[in-house]
Amino acid sequence: MATARKDSPGPTERPSAPVPVGPPELRVAPDAPADNGRPPELGPAALRALAHPLRIRILDLLPSHGPLTASKLGEIVGESSGSTSYHLRQLAKHGFVREVEGKGTARERWWERTPGGFSISSSGKDSPAGRQTAEAVNTEFLRLRHERVMAFLRATQDADEEMLTSWMGATTFFSANKWATPEQMAAMVTAWERFITEHIDPLSGQEGEPGTVPVEVHFDVFPTIDPQGNPL
């Protein structure tokens, strides 16, 4: 069965100054990091193109479902194929998705998520509107992530013994509540980037291989106070 661990903080001193909060950066599918170890940040035009709940849902579905047609996507999300086809074309314009080479016809195209990752930051934007757009996109990705966690927990109720032994035993949810400085938080993020290179990047390209299933890995580091230093 999946395991969950909730760690508790030890005694320490309160930080002298509040740390800014909010979703400053969300990294999506960082399987092709940039030279500095982080996937490239979306530019304003690409971010605006992504700022639609259905487009985010499509982009979120493709990695686990594999290549899909507009018709099949429409069945999954409850939209017409015309609607999903339009949104796929908009995503393709900005490099989020691409047609699968050698598959499909002129009437029915197959689409897949473009390899590589990207990051979305709400800091450093030139306007309040840009920051709001980044936060809205981040929020929707995080909402969908939470939906999948809850769907997984519901699915475990119907899991057979083989699945419980093989997959649930390799599943874990972990939360640690500590006190740290911004520098210590940054050090954890750097260590995580090394972990990605060593353990996650080698998994790329295994879609459909015998014995594999879609899996999702989460990592979060954030202060649990508001800008005034009050606990959230």
Side-chain angles (χ1 to χ4, degrees):
M1 183 57 192
T3 60
R5 175 181 168 190
K6 178 75 171 176
D7 201 2
S8 59
T12 186
E13 294 182 0
R14 179 179 293 273
S16 58
V19 180
V21 298
E25 182 176 75
L26 179 72
R27 302 179 197 177
V28 180
D31 55 306
D35 292 339
N36 63 358
R38 300 188 179 194
E41 184 177 341
L42 291 184
L47 185 59
R48 287 194 299 271
L50 190 56
H52 188 290
L54 183 54
R55 293 178 192 174
I56 296 174
R57 179 86 189 280
I58 290 171
L59 200 60
D60 197 61
L61 283 169
L62 286 174
S64 59
H65 285 69
L68 294 170
T69 64
S71 298
K72 185 60 179 177
L73 270 169
E75 293 176 13
I76 295 172
V77 301
E79 296 281 342
S80 69
S81 60
S83 174
T84 53
S85 179
Y86 169 76
H87 289 296
L88 282 164
R89 291 195 302 273
Q90 298 307 307
L91 289 168
K93 282 183 181 179
H94 295 274
F96 292 113
V97 302
R98 66 184 184 183
E99 285 189 59
V100 180
E101 293 185 8
K103 190 172 184 177
T105 65
R107 296 185 54 136
E108 188 170 54
R109 302 173 179 178
W110 288 79
W111 299 88
E112 64 183 357
R113 177 85 164 263
T114 303
F118 56 85
S119 61
I120 303 167
S121 176
S122 56
S123 62
K125 295 293 183 289
D126 294 333
S127 67
R131 290 191 293 274
Q132 290 170 4
T133 300
E135 184 170 345
V137 173
N138 278 345
T139 299
E140 184 63 13
F141 270 118
L142 291 171
R143 186 188 70 79
L144 292 172
R145 187 175 78 170
H146 176 72
E147 276 191 3
R148 276 193 304 280
V149 171
M150 301 310 296
F152 166 77
L153 292 176
R154 291 191 296 270
T156 61
Q157 303 302 312
D158 299 321
D160 58 27
E161 191 61 33
E162 181 181 357
M163 187 175 185
L164 288 172
T165 301
S166 61
W167 290 108
M168 305 310 174
T171 302
T172 184
F173 296 101
F174 172 81
S175 295
N177 299 95
K178 304 293 185 181
W179 291 63
T181 65
E183 292 77 15
Q184 290 170 325
M185 293 169 63
M188 286 188 281
V189 174
T190 299
W192 169 249
E193 289 165 351
R194 291 195 298 268
F195 181 90
I196 291 174
T197 300
E198 183 177 352
H199 295 284
I200 298 180
D201 287 350
L203 304 179
S204 298
Q206 293 191 154
E207 295 86 350
E209 291 291 328
T212 67
V213 298
V215 299
E216 188 162 327
V217 182
H218 298 162
F219 174 74
D220 304 306
V221 177
F222 59 95
T224 54
I225 58 172
D226 65 18
Q228 289 71 47
N230 302 310
L232 296 175

